[in-house]
Amino acid sequence: MKIFKDIYRWCLQPCHLFFLTIITLMLPNVALCITERMPLMAALANILLPGGIYWLLMTLAKKPGKAIWWLFFFVFLAAFQLVLLYLFGRSIIAVDMFLNLITTNPGEAMELLDNIAPAVVGVFVIYLPLLALGVMSVCGKKELDKSFIRKQRSVGYAIIALGLVSLAGSYVSDKAYRAELDLYPANVLYNIVLAGERTYQTAHYTETSKGFTFHARQTLSESEKEVYVMIIGETARACEFQLYGYNRPTTPLLSKEDNLVAFTNVLSQSNTTHKSVPMLMSAASAVDYDRIYREKGIIEAFKEAGFHTVFISNQQPNHSFIDFFGEEADEWKFIKEDSEDGRNTPDTEMITMLNKVLDKGRNKEFIVLHSYGSHFNYHDRYPRNAAFFQPDDATEVKKENREQLINAYDNTIRYTDRFLHGVVDALKRHGAISAMIYTSDHGENIFDDDRNLFLHASPTPSYYELHVPFLVWTSDRYNSAFPNMQDILKSNRKKPLASSASLFHSMLGIAGIETPYLADSLNVGSPKLHSAPRRYLSDHNKAVTLDKAGLGEKDFRLLRQHHVDYK
């Protein structure tokens, strides 16, 4: 106990606490110099300029504890940044991460926090004692003497001057360098401003899209019974589907479906749900994302064409475009909204709801199902009797648990297989002209290689987050009404697609809906489908090539291995 008392007394010395605070605040800067592989001048700027500013700010109070609490926001950012580096291995706190804080429901957040204990405990060990020492400093009598403050103030100015020289050198030596992108925490503050702007734009979507129309119309007779189902999966990566050559039986039911076409060359344009799903539900894509603020979603197009529309989600509403587009339907339901005990509802529960909709017997029906799929925590996404691959009960986020995490993840894919097969069976029983399209918003990292990446939504995506399944099923009656469609689908199955760009156009095209907004070049059901350059929607909503998005040689090698085009 004596050693702890000695450490405690040492830390409470004002001059020691002064330097200790600067060191702890600078930990993210040092870590980012390494993880981002910064050039020398950029690394010096990233250390010297923020360090000098912190140094100077610490001289503004005689009691260091006051300065610590004045800098509380930066203490919080530092802790947040270190946790994200633990999870993703690199990158600053991105715009999308701030938006994820707003759009992720508390249950999901707690599931994640419960299973990243090492990172959370680590930052608590570093930063909570600092804050506690700050309180004790404020309440205590010890102060920095004036000569110390004057001396350190001079040192702070000198370090800032060196930092500014390094910053100028960074601009000169690297034409792509930007302080708002490459200097921590200036880049995080910039991202906070952008997150605020996007939140404002999203909140005013109803106003900015008011009066928009697709001028959509149906091509089949009103007396023909048609049912079209669009299913948006969650965190499903193509490489784990038996249909795509995976060596485990993860899709045993779908593998037996004769009228199912699996598109193999499909990439998502975003690894974040709050951007990917809205793109899947609208005409927006990476190259024209801003149209999302002006236009309505695919449900509105089907409504204009005379279809009754239904949106069913097995996720919580989160005041994002997912909600806005879903609530444009004639009927909409967020299953988890009614869950009083916070339980996780299996996706198959949506099949019961689907059958109730189909039993109404309406001639024109369009249904969008948003599943919970393979979202972490994996073993909570399927009932215990569906645990085919075992053991599967390890949930703590660490490399040593990969085998069990993969077993649990593969069980979620196998359960998705059961869910999709159930939807197909429901459509078969209904007997209408019907089709189903399924794709996932993005994939997931599960400690797949020596990078030790986990989860998704890092500003620098990987192969595992982008290669997604894209499945189209058509009924026998549909194939009789459109006898060439299966041949067209099969001829297109290996062409490069962006799921975020193609789902909207493919769903409308396969349903035979005409609108000036339909692009056959993006429609998998059209002989005019052709490949477009691969683009990824960056954290700052710019359409960038995959190499600019941050994919490395490992990712490009995996893309080649799975016969996925990437240029």
Side-chain angles (χ1 to χ4, degrees):
M1 289 295 293
K2 184 178 183 299
I3 189 171
F4 290 109
K5 288 181 180 179
D6 291 342
I7 292 172
Y8 167 74
R9 292 193 189 99
W10 186 90
C11 291
L12 268 184
Q13 291 296 319
C15 58
H16 296 162
L17 188 56
F18 179 97
F19 293 116
L20 187 63
T21 302
I22 296 171
I23 290 170
T24 53
L25 285 171
M26 289 299 297
L27 288 177
N29 296 74
V30 175
L32 286 166
C33 288
I34 299 168
T35 62
E36 309 310 295
R37 299 184 179 90
M38 292 183 182
L40 177 60
M41 295 306 293
L44 288 173
N46 200 55
I47 296 293
L48 294 173
L49 190 54
I53 292 172
Y54 291 144
W55 206 296
L56 188 61
L57 291 174
M58 288 298 296
T59 66
L60 297 180
K62 292 182 179 180
K63 293 183 177 182
K66 289 185 178 180
I68 289 172
W69 281 94
W70 292 341
L71 292 168
F72 173 78
F73 179 69
F74 294 95
V75 172
F76 169 78
L77 287 186
F80 191 1
Q81 180 64 66
L82 290 179
V83 170
L84 291 177
L85 287 176
Y86 172 87
L87 272 178
F88 300 127
R90 60 175 302 189
S91 301
I92 62 159
I93 308 171
V95 178
D96 289 330
M97 292 177 185
F98 286 115
L99 295 177
N100 283 338
L101 289 177
I102 300 170
T103 58
T104 298
N105 70 67
E108 286 182 9
M110 288 309 299
E111 281 183 352
L112 178 58
L113 289 174
D114 284 346
N115 293 287
I116 56 171
V120 175
V121 170
V123 297
F124 279 1
V125 167
I126 295 170
Y127 292 102
L128 283 184
L130 178 66
L131 295 174
L133 289 169
V135 172
M136 294 172 189
S137 171
V138 171
C139 296
K141 296 180 179 179
K142 294 181 179 179
E143 296 180 343
L144 297 169
D145 60 58
K146 292 181 179 178
S147 61
F148 178 89
I149 291 175
R150 283 196 299 269
K151 181 179 179 181
Q152 300 309 319
R153 193 168 289 165
S154 299
V155 172
Y157 281 126
I159 295 173
I160 289 173
L162 290 173
L164 290 172
V165 171
S166 301
L167 183 65
S170 299
Y171 277 98
V172 171
S173 61
D174 184 357
K175 300 302 180 184
Y177 182 89
R178 294 290 181 273
E180 68 271 22
L181 303 180
D182 302 305
L183 178 68
Y184 178 89
N187 44 18
V188 176
L189 297 176
Y190 178 66
N191 286 347
I192 290 173
V193 172
L194 290 181
E197 290 176 357
R198 289 190 204 167
T199 301
Y200 177 85
Q201 289 176 301
T202 302
H204 289 77
Y205 164 74
T206 304
E207 301 165 27
T208 54
S209 65
K210 188 177 181 180
F212 176 82
T213 178
F214 284 102
H215 303 289
R217 67 182 188 87
Q218 58 185 291
T219 54
L220 288 183
S221 166
E222 290 186 10
S223 62
E224 290 280 10
K225 282 199 170 185
E226 297 178 85
V227 179
Y228 300 102
V229 179
M230 186 172 94
I231 303 177
I232 299 172
E234 174 69 56
T235 322
R237 56 191 204 178
C239 62
E240 229 82 3
F241 275 62
Q242 179 186 356
L243 281 167
Y244 288 88
Y246 189 45
N247 60 7
R248 293 179 118 181
T250 53
T251 55
L253 300 174
L254 292 177
S255 296
K256 298 175 184 176
E257 286 294 338
D258 293 333
N259 294 339
L260 184 77
V261 179
F263 290 78
T264 61
N265 201 348
V266 183
L267 296 180
S268 173
Q269 292 185 324
S270 174
N271 64 354
T272 62
T273 298
H274 77 267
K275 287 200 297 196
S276 181
V277 173
M279 285 194 286
L280 293 171
M281 295 180 70
S282 72
S285 67
V287 297
D288 54 5
Y289 184 75
D290 283 350
R291 69 191 295 181
I292 204 167
Y293 300 109
R294 306 185 303 271
E295 300 178 5
K296 295 185 177 180
I298 191 170
I299 288 173
E300 184 66 26
F302 272 88
K303 280 175 68 175
E304 289 181 20
F307 281 74
H308 179 267
T309 56
V310 179
F311 175 75
I312 302 171
S313 174
N314 195 19
Q315 301 202 25
Q316 289 273 15
N318 56 17
H319 311 294
S320 71
F321 279 103
I322 302 172
D323 297 6
F324 301 152
F325 291 151
E327 291 171 8
E328 288 173 354
D330 296 302
E331 300 176 32
W332 50 269
K333 180 71 173 177
F334 292 90
I335 299 174
K336 282 185 167 59
E337 204 170 20
D338 296 334
S339 178
E340 295 180 0
D341 58 0
R343 70 185 182 93
N344 287 300
T345 309
D347 284 333
T348 50
E349 190 161 312
M350 288 192 285
I351 297 173
T352 302
M353 302 175 76
L354 171 66
N355 280 316
K356 288 180 180 178
V357 173
L358 297 180
D359 287 344
K360 299 291 184 182
R362 287 179 281 257
N363 274 9
K364 307 291 180 183
E365 198 79 65
F366 177 57
I367 303 158
V368 177
L369 305 177
H370 186 197
S371 74
Y372 212 26
S374 302
H375 194 288
F376 186 80
N377 194 346
Y378 312 131
H379 85 341
D380 288 338
R381 304 297 166 242
Y382 51 91
R384 288 297 85 204
N385 61 10
F388 184 83
F389 304 104
Q390 295 187 12
D392 67 332
D393 54 357
T395 60
E396 190 176 349
V397 177
K398 55 184 181 180
K399 177 81 170 180
E400 293 77 10
N401 288 337
R402 184 176 190 273
E403 181 181 350
Q404 291 199 46
L405 290 170
I406 285 291
N407 284 341
Y409 184 85
D410 287 354
N411 284 334
T412 68
I413 302 299
R414 192 176 168 95
Y415 199 70
T416 294
D417 175 68
R418 182 190 297 186
F419 165 55
L420 296 178
H421 184 261
V423 172
V424 168
D425 273 355
L427 293 175
K428 286 179 180 178
R429 286 194 299 272
H430 189 63
I433 294 172
S434 55
M436 177 196 80
I437 302 183
Y438 163 83
T439 192
S440 181
D441 54 357
H442 49 70
E444 182 94 312
N445 297 295
I446 315 175
F447 299 114
D448 299 288
D449 52 41
D450 58 8
R451 293 175 292 182
N452 291 327
L453 303 176
F454 190 69
L455 296 182
H456 59 268
S458 164
T460 52
S462 73
Y463 157 79
Y464 296 100
E465 294 171 88
L466 298 186
H467 188 198
V468 292
F470 194 103
L471 310 176
V472 180
W473 175 85
T474 53
S475 69
D476 290 338
R477 192 171 167 196
Y478 180 97
N479 294 336
S480 296
F482 301 94
N484 297 324
M485 183 56 73
Q486 274 288 316
D487 290 337
I488 294 171
L489 292 171
K490 289 174 182 176
S491 69
N492 286 334
R493 63 181 293 270
K494 293 185 179 181
K495 291 183 179 179
L497 300 176
S499 58
S500 319
S502 287
L503 182 58
F504 172 89
H505 302 279
S506 300
M507 194 76 253
L508 289 175
I510 288 173
I513 291 178
E514 294 181 348
T515 166
Y517 291 84
L518 171 61
D520 278 329
S521 61
L522 297 171
N523 171 17
V524 300
S526 169
K528 298 179 182 179
L529 175 74
H530 67 79
S531 59
R534 294 292 197 188
R535 293 293 181 267
Y536 177 79
L537 187 64
S538 74
D539 183 56
H540 290 170
N541 286 356
K542 305 294 183 184
V544 298
T545 56
L546 295 186
D547 58 329
K548 297 295 184 183
L551 270 71
E553 182 49 41
K554 283 187 176 71
D555 300 303
F556 291 119
R557 185 168 63 249
L558 286 163
L559 288 167
R560 291 191 294 269
Q561 178 182 321
H562 290 88
H563 308 290
V564 178
D565 295 286
Y566 52 83
K567 293 183 178 179

